[in-house]
């Protein structure tokens, strides 16, 4: 009796199994080496990492912040009369309209008279309405009046006084009027009437009204919160002088500069106007 030969399906797949195992092990071992190599540069060279680059950029951006912090805390405070500025602008517009019309349609000496009058009046109107201003910062007070500009370091200021005009006094005996802060007695009275702490203690029939003073324990009139606009501005300037007068940066010399850009054309216009009127 002959034994049947085993079929190919009955054979053990030993050889194919042995041939596939090295390939699987090689495939599994090959990616592990690049992954380790790819991780090594991030740890060995921290200077090229994104965190180091961001830290360097933050340090370079924060470097110029030092000099800026040493500057003044705020820019100049500017005080000027709004009503005077608006009124001056309207007057200048009217004068220019009339002057240009006289130059365009006038006959004889009329155009020349109009030009001379404009040359004389326009600088003066601008000087008294548009030019006046007060500039104040931590170190100095700059007063721009119609015909001159005065710069006073806070250390040279003795006092700021308010009466019928607002004035600043320097330690060398100089007195300078603040044209940009005109005093309005009507505004002061109106502010006094609106303040209940001032009017309440002087009601008719009270002891304070009979004595002409204030009731015992009542707040002082000067402490009223409702004050005229120019008085509030003077209070701010006094506070700056009080806080900054002794600082080293607030010392220096008082300087006065005349406004020749206003004086020269106005004088020229006055001379031309006088000559033209004299010639008839």
């Amino acid at each position: 009796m002959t034994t049947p030969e085993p079929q190919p399906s009955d054979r053990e797949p030993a050889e194919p199994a042995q041939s596939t195992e090295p390939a699987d092990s090689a495939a599994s071992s090959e990616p592990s080496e690049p992954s380790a190599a790819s991780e090594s540069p991030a740890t060995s060279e921290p200077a090229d990492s994104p965190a180091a680059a961001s830290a360097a950029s933050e340090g370079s951006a924060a470097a110029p912040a030092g000099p800026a912090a040493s500057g003044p805390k705020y820019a100049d405070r500017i005080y000027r009369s709004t009503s005077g500025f608006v009124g001056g602008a309207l007057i200048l517009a009217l004068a220019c309209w009339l002057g240009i019309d006289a130059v365009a349609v006038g006959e004889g000496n009329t155009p020349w008279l109009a030009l001379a009058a404009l040359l004389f009046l326009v600088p003066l109107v601008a000087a008294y309405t548009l030019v006046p201003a007060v500039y104040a910062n931590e170190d100095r007070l700059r007063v721009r009046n119609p015909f001159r500009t005065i710069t006073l370091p806070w250390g040279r200021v003795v006092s700021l006084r308010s009466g019928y005009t607002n004035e600043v006094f320097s330690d060398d005996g100089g007195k300078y009027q603040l044209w940009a802060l005109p005093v309005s007695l009507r505004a002061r009275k109106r502010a006094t009437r609106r303040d209940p702490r001032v009017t309440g203690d002087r009601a008719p029939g009270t002891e304070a009204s009979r004595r002409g003073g204030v009731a015992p324990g009542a707040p002082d009139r000067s402490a009223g919160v409702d004050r005229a606009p120019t008085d509030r501005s003077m209070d701010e300037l006094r506070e700056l002088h009080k806080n900054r007068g002794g600082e080293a940066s607030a010392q220096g010399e008082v300087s006065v500069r005349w406004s020749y850009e206003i004086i020269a054309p106005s004088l020229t216009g006055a001379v031309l106007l006088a000559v033209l009127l004299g010639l008839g």
Side-chain angles (χ1 to χ4, degrees):
M1 181 180 295
T2 60
T3 60
E5 296 180 358
Q7 299 295 326
S9 60
D10 297 334
R11 296 176 181 176
E12 296 179 0
E15 295 180 358
Q18 293 178 358
S19 60
T20 58
E21 288 177 1
D24 296 336
S25 62
S28 62
S29 61
E30 288 177 0
S32 62
E33 295 178 358
S35 63
S38 62
E39 293 176 1
S40 59
T43 58
S44 62
E45 297 180 2
D48 298 335
S49 63
S54 63
S57 63
E58 291 177 0
S60 62
S70 61
K73 295 181 180 179
Y74 54 85
D76 286 359
R77 299 182 186 180
I78 303 176
Y79 303 90
R80 65 171 72 244
S81 174
T82 304
S83 58
F85 191 89
V86 173
L90 293 177
I91 294 174
L92 287 177
L94 179 61
C96 291
W97 176 48
L98 295 176
I100 293 174
D101 182 71
V103 171
V105 301
E107 298 179 355
N109 291 335
T110 302
W112 298 106
L113 287 172
L115 289 175
L118 287 176
L119 189 60
F120 170 64
L121 292 176
V122 168
L124 288 180
V125 174
Y128 283 98
T129 58
L130 306 183
V131 170
V134 174
Y135 302 85
N137 60 21
E138 292 182 335
D139 298 333
R140 54 105 180 103
L141 175 70
R142 184 160 62 95
V143 181
R144 195 172 69 183
N145 283 341
F147 298 111
R148 60 179 180 174
T149 300
I150 306 100
T151 302
L152 301 103
W154 286 119
R156 302 295 302 274
V157 174
V158 176
S159 63
L160 293 108
R161 302 177 189 175
S162 298
Y164 293 104
T165 59
N166 289 316
E167 300 167 337
V168 57
F169 293 81
S170 61
D171 57 359
D172 57 358
K175 181 178 72 172
Y176 309 99
Q177 184 176 347
L178 306 181
W179 283 81
L181 297 175
V183 171
S184 175
L185 298 179
R186 179 179 298 179
R188 284 180 178 175
K189 293 179 180 179
R190 187 164 54 246
T192 302
R193 288 195 300 267
R194 286 197 304 262
D195 193 347
R197 296 192 300 177
V198 174
T199 59
D201 54 15
R202 297 181 62 90
T206 61
E207 182 181 359
S209 65
R210 288 192 298 268
R211 291 187 295 109
V214 297
D220 186 11
R221 179 185 296 268
S222 61
V225 294
D226 198 353
R227 291 170 60 78
T230 55
D231 291 337
R232 289 197 300 267
S233 300
M234 292 296 291
D235 290 342
E236 294 177 2
L237 295 178
R238 291 189 186 97
E239 187 69 19
L240 272 174
H241 174 234
K242 178 182 177 181
N243 295 335
R244 300 293 302 175
E247 298 294 332
S249 60
Q251 309 302 320
E253 296 296 330
V254 178
S255 64
V256 178
R257 185 186 70 85
W258 290 92
S259 302
Y260 295 105
E261 66 277 6
I262 293 175
I263 298 173
S266 183
L267 286 178
T268 303
V271 171
L272 290 177
L273 189 60
V275 170
L276 291 173
L277 291 175
L279 294 176

